[in-house]
């Protein structure tokens, strides 16, 4: 009976780590480095009304727009 809490905690840790891994794989990134710090952790924040790409650097907290030359 003393092993049940240990097994339950280990199962919760394994399931939790699998869930976090799945959620992290759903994050979209931009294929360009941050213009401020050069980090590659640049998140895709969708498009502006003009069709330009919005981005956010996770490392230095910079919001910027990638202008789409058409």
């Amino acid at each position: 009976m003393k092993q049940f809490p240990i097994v339950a905690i280990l199962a919760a840790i394994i399931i939790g780590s699998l869930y976090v891994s799945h959620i992290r794989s759903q994050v979209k990134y931009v294929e360009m480095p941050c213009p401020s710090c050069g980090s590659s952790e640049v998140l895709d924040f969708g498009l502006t009304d003009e069709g330009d790409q919005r981005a956010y650097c996770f490392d230095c907290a910079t919001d910027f727009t990638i202008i789409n030359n058409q």
Side-chain angles (χ1 to χ4, degrees):
M1 290 302 281
K2 291 184 180 183
Q3 291 181 348
F4 178 72
I6 294 171
V7 172
I9 290 171
L10 287 176
I13 290 172
I14 291 170
I15 292 170
S17 66
L18 290 173
Y19 179 70
V20 168
S21 175
H22 170 72
I23 295 298
R24 292 182 98 191
S25 70
Q26 302 298 317
V27 175
K28 294 181 183 176
Y29 290 94
V30 176
E31 296 291 328
M32 85 174 275
C34 174
S36 296
C37 70
S39 172
S40 62
E41 294 289 323
V42 180
L43 303 176
D44 180 357
F45 269 21
L47 300 175
T48 64
D49 292 336
E50 293 81 27
D52 298 329
Q53 179 69 50
R54 291 177 40 225
Y56 174 80
C57 178
F58 185 75
D59 291 334
C60 69
T62 301
D63 284 318
F64 60 96
T65 302
I66 302 167
I67 298 173
N68 189 7
N69 294 329
Q70 293 180 354

